[in-house]
């Protein structure tokens, strides 16, 4: 398993090209599942597992990995499937989401596949596990379900969307009331967090579940004669989304004269150091890791101050 992950440098070349690499694996059956390789730190055999009292039902225990204590989450049980039985031959996938590191117990790793986001589609509403999926795709004619890991983690440790009173009291933020914002994300949990936080500022929110839908919405406003750059205070976009990712969405916005002045914030669970370089590459105005309500409001404040400075 040690050789299943290549260097991050090689994968950064995919960014802005509307491409990704997915790590495919199985849980408690033959169905294939996947997550974006950018979220994966390593794949390895389960180290010694320590049981913890009063742990969440989905948490098998904790492991010590190079001095770091990580929870081990039964991903099969977490999405409503039959629980896995951890043992010395079990496999874990170590991931980083939203500045936290955790391990997922899986039934076995399949392989890594390089794909175009256009081949990644939203899940059908009829899918039984639909509420735990962000997308589906096919590899060698086999259905692959892309798991909404943010939802899984939020059910174990609920996110906090409450903005501190000190932040809300800032007089600059009073100017946010009534302003319009476009939110672009395929995760229902991430969208809920954005809504819950920005609604505390009295903002008007538009939502799109992927980059392609967002681009079509923006262009429809522009085609109708609206000044989109005046209409929207800013756009918050996820990086990973079916059909069109946030990097390509930003590139498309910058290539349209009617949209290119939009203030675009990359709002993602991917690692900060990686995204800071990608923000510059594709032309985003700001970068924000998910589930940081005070930081989210601070980014809105920065945008409002920029409005004042250019007025």
């Amino acid at each position: 398993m040690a050789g299943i992950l290549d260097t991050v440098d090689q994968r950064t070349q995919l960014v802005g090209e509307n491409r990704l690499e997915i790590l495919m694996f199985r849980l408690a059956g033959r169905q294939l599942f996947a997550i974006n390789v950018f979220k994966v730190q390593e794949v390895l055999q389960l180290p010694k597992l320590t049981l913890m009292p009063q742990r969440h039902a989905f948490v098998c225990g904790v492991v010590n990995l190079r001095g770091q204590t990580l929870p081990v989450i039964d991903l099969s049980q977490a999405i409503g499937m039959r629980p896995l039985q951890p043992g010395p031959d079990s496999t874990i996938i170590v991931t980083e989401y939203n500045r936290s590191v955790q391990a997922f117990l899986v039934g076995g790793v399949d392989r890594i596949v390089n794909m175009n986001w256009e081949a990644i589609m939203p899940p059908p509403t009829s899918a039984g596990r639909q509420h735990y999926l962000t997308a589906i795709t096919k590899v060698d004619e086999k259905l692959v379900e892309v798991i909404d890991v943010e939802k899984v983690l939020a059910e174990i440790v609920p996110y906090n969307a409450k903005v501190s009173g000190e932040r809300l009291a800032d007089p600059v933020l009073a100017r946010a009331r009534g302003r319009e914002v476009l939110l672009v994300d395929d995760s229902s949990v991430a969208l809920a967090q954005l809504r819950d936080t920005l609604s505390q500022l009295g903002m008007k929110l538009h939502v799109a579940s992927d980059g392609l839908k967002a681009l079509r919405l923006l262009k429809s406003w522009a085609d109708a004669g609206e000044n989109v750059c005046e209409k929207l205070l800013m756009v918050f976009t996820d990086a990973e989304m079916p059909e069109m990712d946030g990097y390509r969405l930003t590139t498309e916005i910058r290539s349209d004269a009617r949209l290119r002045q939009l203030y675009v914030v990359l709002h993602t669970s991917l690692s900060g150091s990686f995204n800071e370089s990608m923000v510059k590459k594709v032309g985003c105005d700001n970068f924000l890791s998910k589930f940081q309500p005070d930081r989210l409001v601070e980014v809105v404040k920065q945008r409002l101050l920029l409005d004042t400075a250019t007025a």
Side-chain angles (χ1 to χ4, degrees):
M1 287 182 290
I4 199 164
L5 299 175
D6 299 321
T7 65
V8 170
D9 287 343
Q10 291 172 322
R11 293 195 180 88
T12 59
Q13 304 306 313
L14 304 177
V15 173
E17 304 300 325
N18 211 39
R19 297 190 67 82
L20 79 159
E21 283 184 318
I22 57 172
L23 173 63
M24 300 194 304
F25 53 89
R26 289 181 170 82
L27 296 175
R30 299 180 64 183
Q31 173 61 45
L32 284 167
F33 297 91
I35 58 176
N36 192 326
V37 170
F38 271 126
K39 304 290 183 65
V40 178
Q41 290 190 349
E42 57 185 316
V43 177
L44 67 157
Q45 201 167 356
L46 177 66
K48 181 182 178 182
L49 187 67
T50 302
L51 302 182
M52 302 292 289
Q54 299 180 323
R55 65 186 184 274
H56 191 279
F58 301 159
V59 177
C60 306
V62 298
V63 294
N64 188 283
L65 195 61
R66 288 181 286 281
Q68 187 176 17
T69 300
L70 305 179
V72 178
I73 299 165
D74 182 344
L75 192 52
S76 182
Q77 185 178 10
I79 67 170
M81 296 178 64
R82 174 169 53 87
L84 297 169
Q85 295 301 317
D89 295 326
S90 297
T91 300
I92 59 172
I93 302 174
V94 180
T95 66
E96 181 179 359
Y97 283 82
N98 306 318
R99 308 170 316 283
S100 70
V101 180
Q102 54 283 309
F104 290 108
L105 181 70
V106 299
V109 167
D110 186 88
R111 57 190 158 129
I112 288 174
V113 177
N114 184 314
M115 302 190 73
N116 193 304
W117 272 112
E118 292 172 359
I120 311 290
M121 306 302 294
T125 55
S126 59
R129 291 182 292 271
Q130 189 272 337
H131 56 298
Y132 285 106
L133 306 179
T134 58
I136 60 171
T137 189
K138 278 193 172 183
V139 176
D140 297 335
E141 299 304 312
K142 294 179 181 178
L143 181 69
V144 180
E145 299 182 349
V146 182
I147 294 179
D148 186 350
V149 177
E150 290 169 4
K151 180 174 177 59
V152 171
L153 295 176
E155 291 186 352
I156 297 171
V157 181
Y159 68 83
N160 174 25
K162 186 173 177 57
V163 183
S164 65
E166 181 182 354
R167 293 276 184 181
L168 289 176
D170 192 319
V172 174
L173 292 175
R175 303 205 299 269
R177 183 165 297 277
R179 298 299 300 270
E180 297 181 47
V181 176
L182 175 60
L183 313 177
V184 191
D185 205 302
D186 61 333
S187 170
S188 60
V189 171
L191 283 175
Q193 184 260 339
L194 282 167
R195 283 196 188 100
D196 292 349
T197 300
L198 296 175
S199 63
Q200 295 170 63
L201 303 180
M203 306 187 81
K204 181 179 178 181
L205 309 177
H206 304 276
V207 174
S209 59
D210 63 60
L212 185 58
K213 290 185 179 70
L215 185 63
R216 287 171 175 166
L217 179 60
L218 291 168
K219 287 182 177 291
S220 71
W221 285 333
D223 291 342
E226 294 192 66
N227 186 328
V228 183
C229 298
E230 289 185 3
K231 175 183 178 68
L232 295 179
L233 180 67
M234 58 207 308
V235 175
F236 287 97
T237 180
D238 188 19
E240 305 174 74
M241 292 176 290
E243 299 195 269
M244 180 182 290
D245 65 22
Y247 305 111
R248 174 56 65 87
L249 171 61
T250 305
T251 300
E252 294 291 335
I253 286 172
R254 297 299 180 231
S255 66
D256 189 320
R258 304 169 300 174
L259 307 175
R260 66 167 56 116
Q261 296 305 316
L262 279 170
Y263 191 91
V264 180
V265 179
L266 191 67
H267 183 243
T268 175
S269 55
L270 289 169
S271 64
S273 58
F274 164 74
N275 273 305
E276 285 165 9
S277 62
M278 291 306 103
V279 161
K280 296 176 183 177
K281 178 178 177 179
V282 301
C284 292
D285 296 287
N286 212 327
F287 161 72
L288 176 66
S289 293
K290 289 182 178 178
F291 308 120
Q292 299 183 88
D294 277 9
R295 176 67 183 131
L296 178 61
V297 169
E298 179 62 27
V299 169
V300 174
K301 177 183 175 180
Q302 291 173 14
R303 174 69 181 104
L304 291 166
L305 289 173
L306 186 61
D307 251 4
T308 303
T310 57

PDB file of all heavy atoms in Angstrom, residues 34 71 73 77 79 105 129 136 166 168 176 222-223 239 241:
ATOM      1  N   ALA A  34     -15.290   6.325  -3.280  1.00  0.00           N
ATOM      2  CA  ALA A  34     -14.089   7.098  -3.579  1.00  0.00           C
ATOM      3  C   ALA A  34     -14.063   8.404  -2.799  1.00  0.00           C
ATOM      4  O   ALA A  34     -15.104   8.917  -2.374  1.00  0.00           O
ATOM      5  CB  ALA A  34     -14.012   7.403  -5.079  1.00  0.00           C
ATOM      6  N   PRO A  71      -8.408   9.597  15.615  1.00  0.00           N
ATOM      7  CA  PRO A  71      -9.591   8.743  15.719  1.00  0.00           C
ATOM      8  C   PRO A  71      -9.703   7.870  14.478  1.00  0.00           C
ATOM      9  O   PRO A  71      -9.364   8.291  13.370  1.00  0.00           O
ATOM     10  CB  PRO A  71     -10.736   9.761  15.794  1.00  0.00           C
ATOM     11  CG  PRO A  71     -10.229  10.960  15.066  1.00  0.00           C
ATOM     12  CD  PRO A  71      -8.752  11.012  15.351  1.00  0.00           C
ATOM     13  N   ILE A  73     -12.454   6.022  12.249  1.00  0.00           N
ATOM     14  CA  ILE A  73     -13.893   6.061  12.005  1.00  0.00           C
ATOM     15  C   ILE A  73     -14.285   4.923  11.072  1.00  0.00           C
ATOM     16  O   ILE A  73     -13.665   4.742  10.010  1.00  0.00           O
ATOM     17  CB  ILE A  73     -14.288   7.417  11.386  1.00  0.00           C
ATOM     18  CG1 ILE A  73     -13.944   8.556  12.354  1.00  0.00           C
ATOM     19  CG2 ILE A  73     -15.774   7.454  11.017  1.00  0.00           C
ATOM     20  CD1 ILE A  73     -13.963   9.935  11.716  1.00  0.00           C
ATOM     21  N   GLN A  77     -20.124   1.979   8.620  1.00  0.00           N
ATOM     22  CA  GLN A  77     -21.214   2.215   9.565  1.00  0.00           C
ATOM     23  C   GLN A  77     -21.694   3.665   9.501  1.00  0.00           C
ATOM     24  O   GLN A  77     -22.885   3.945   9.626  1.00  0.00           O
ATOM     25  CB  GLN A  77     -20.758   1.880  10.985  1.00  0.00           C
ATOM     26  CG  GLN A  77     -21.873   1.973  12.028  1.00  0.00           C
ATOM     27  CD  GLN A  77     -21.399   1.587  13.416  1.00  0.00           C
ATOM     28  OE1 GLN A  77     -20.201   1.424  13.653  1.00  0.00           O
ATOM     29  NE2 GLN A  77     -22.331   1.436  14.340  1.00  0.00           N
ATOM     30  N   ILE A  79     -22.032   5.632   7.027  1.00  0.00           N
ATOM     31  CA  ILE A  79     -22.949   5.947   5.927  1.00  0.00           C
ATOM     32  C   ILE A  79     -24.119   4.968   5.863  1.00  0.00           C
ATOM     33  O   ILE A  79     -24.817   4.880   4.859  1.00  0.00           O
ATOM     34  CB  ILE A  79     -22.222   5.999   4.574  1.00  0.00           C
ATOM     35  CG1 ILE A  79     -21.698   4.624   4.151  1.00  0.00           C
ATOM     36  CG2 ILE A  79     -21.094   7.027   4.612  1.00  0.00           C
ATOM     37  CD1 ILE A  79     -21.187   4.597   2.716  1.00  0.00           C
ATOM     38  N   LEU A 105     -11.566   3.586   8.625  1.00  0.00           N
ATOM     39  CA  LEU A 105     -11.464   2.145   8.444  1.00  0.00           C
ATOM     40  C   LEU A 105     -12.256   1.759   7.205  1.00  0.00           C
ATOM     41  O   LEU A 105     -13.422   2.117   7.066  1.00  0.00           O
ATOM     42  CB  LEU A 105     -12.040   1.434   9.670  1.00  0.00           C
ATOM     43  CG  LEU A 105     -11.991  -0.097   9.669  1.00  0.00           C
ATOM     44  CD1 LEU A 105     -10.550  -0.576   9.817  1.00  0.00           C
ATOM     45  CD2 LEU A 105     -12.859  -0.656  10.796  1.00  0.00           C
ATOM     46  N   ARG A 129     -28.200   5.848  -0.527  1.00  0.00           N
ATOM     47  CA  ARG A 129     -27.197   6.542   0.304  1.00  0.00           C
ATOM     48  C   ARG A 129     -26.982   7.975  -0.169  1.00  0.00           C
ATOM     49  O   ARG A 129     -25.983   8.604   0.184  1.00  0.00           O
ATOM     50  CB  ARG A 129     -25.868   5.775   0.253  1.00  0.00           C
ATOM     51  CG  ARG A 129     -25.888   4.435   0.953  1.00  0.00           C
ATOM     52  CD  ARG A 129     -24.521   3.773   0.883  1.00  0.00           C
ATOM     53  NE  ARG A 129     -24.187   3.383  -0.482  1.00  0.00           N
ATOM     54  CZ  ARG A 129     -24.501   2.217  -1.023  1.00  0.00           C
ATOM     55  NH1 ARG A 129     -25.173   1.331  -0.325  1.00  0.00           N
ATOM     56  NH2 ARG A 129     -24.167   1.924  -2.262  1.00  0.00           N
ATOM     57  N   ILE A 136     -21.356  10.739  -8.210  1.00  0.00           N
ATOM     58  CA  ILE A 136     -21.144   9.377  -8.684  1.00  0.00           C
ATOM     59  C   ILE A 136     -20.352   9.443  -9.991  1.00  0.00           C
ATOM     60  O   ILE A 136     -20.332  10.472 -10.662  1.00  0.00           O
ATOM     61  CB  ILE A 136     -22.474   8.621  -8.928  1.00  0.00           C
ATOM     62  CG1 ILE A 136     -23.326   9.355  -9.975  1.00  0.00           C
ATOM     63  CG2 ILE A 136     -23.233   8.424  -7.623  1.00  0.00           C
ATOM     64  CD1 ILE A 136     -24.546   8.582 -10.429  1.00  0.00           C
ATOM     65  N   GLU A 166     -18.651  39.762  19.484  1.00  0.00           N
ATOM     66  CA  GLU A 166     -17.681  40.817  19.206  1.00  0.00           C
ATOM     67  C   GLU A 166     -17.571  41.076  17.705  1.00  0.00           C
ATOM     68  O   GLU A 166     -17.511  42.230  17.260  1.00  0.00           O
ATOM     69  CB  GLU A 166     -16.324  40.416  19.779  1.00  0.00           C
ATOM     70  CG  GLU A 166     -15.231  41.456  19.567  1.00  0.00           C
ATOM     71  CD  GLU A 166     -13.893  40.998  20.111  1.00  0.00           C
ATOM     72  OE1 GLU A 166     -13.841  39.924  20.762  1.00  0.00           O
ATOM     73  OE2 GLU A 166     -12.892  41.699  19.875  1.00  0.00           O
ATOM     74  N   LEU A 168     -19.899  40.338  15.367  1.00  0.00           N
ATOM     75  CA  LEU A 168     -21.160  40.861  14.843  1.00  0.00           C
ATOM     76  C   LEU A 168     -21.361  42.332  15.185  1.00  0.00           C
ATOM     77  O   LEU A 168     -22.106  43.038  14.499  1.00  0.00           O
ATOM     78  CB  LEU A 168     -22.328  40.035  15.385  1.00  0.00           C
ATOM     79  CG  LEU A 168     -22.459  38.612  14.833  1.00  0.00           C
ATOM     80  CD1 LEU A 168     -23.595  37.875  15.531  1.00  0.00           C
ATOM     81  CD2 LEU A 168     -22.689  38.647  13.326  1.00  0.00           C
ATOM     82  N   ALA A 176     -23.245  44.778   5.308  1.00  0.00           N
ATOM     83  CA  ALA A 176     -23.481  43.501   4.622  1.00  0.00           C
ATOM     84  C   ALA A 176     -24.973  43.187   4.496  1.00  0.00           C
ATOM     85  O   ALA A 176     -25.373  42.411   3.622  1.00  0.00           O
ATOM     86  CB  ALA A 176     -22.793  42.366   5.368  1.00  0.00           C
ATOM     87  N   ALA A 222     -26.067  38.013 -16.490  1.00  0.00           N
ATOM     88  CA  ALA A 222     -25.389  38.941 -17.403  1.00  0.00           C
ATOM     89  C   ALA A 222     -26.145  39.050 -18.728  1.00  0.00           C
ATOM     90  O   ALA A 222     -26.300  40.154 -19.273  1.00  0.00           O
ATOM     91  CB  ALA A 222     -23.949  38.484 -17.641  1.00  0.00           C
ATOM     92  N   ASP A 223     -26.644  37.922 -19.241  1.00  0.00           N
ATOM     93  CA  ASP A 223     -27.401  37.938 -20.500  1.00  0.00           C
ATOM     94  C   ASP A 223     -28.694  38.742 -20.370  1.00  0.00           C
ATOM     95  O   ASP A 223     -29.183  39.308 -21.351  1.00  0.00           O
ATOM     96  CB  ASP A 223     -27.746  36.502 -20.938  1.00  0.00           C
ATOM     97  CG  ASP A 223     -26.525  35.710 -21.370  1.00  0.00           C
ATOM     98  OD1 ASP A 223     -25.481  36.341 -21.657  1.00  0.00           O
ATOM     99  OD2 ASP A 223     -26.610  34.471 -21.423  1.00  0.00           O
ATOM    100  N   ALA A 239     -13.761  23.903  -3.872  1.00  0.00           N
ATOM    101  CA  ALA A 239     -12.792  23.483  -4.889  1.00  0.00           C
ATOM    102  C   ALA A 239     -13.292  22.264  -5.646  1.00  0.00           C
ATOM    103  O   ALA A 239     -13.309  22.235  -6.873  1.00  0.00           O
ATOM    104  CB  ALA A 239     -11.444  23.194  -4.240  1.00  0.00           C
ATOM    105  N   MET A 241     -16.049  19.799  -7.013  1.00  0.00           N
ATOM    106  CA  MET A 241     -17.473  19.706  -7.338  1.00  0.00           C
ATOM    107  C   MET A 241     -17.664  18.930  -8.629  1.00  0.00           C
ATOM    108  O   MET A 241     -16.802  18.979  -9.510  1.00  0.00           O
ATOM    109  CB  MET A 241     -18.090  21.106  -7.487  1.00  0.00           C
ATOM    110  CG  MET A 241     -18.171  21.902  -6.196  1.00  0.00           C
ATOM    111  SD  MET A 241     -18.799  23.572  -6.462  1.00  0.00           S
ATOM    112  CE  MET A 241     -17.408  24.301  -7.345  1.00  0.00           C
TER     113      MET A 241
END
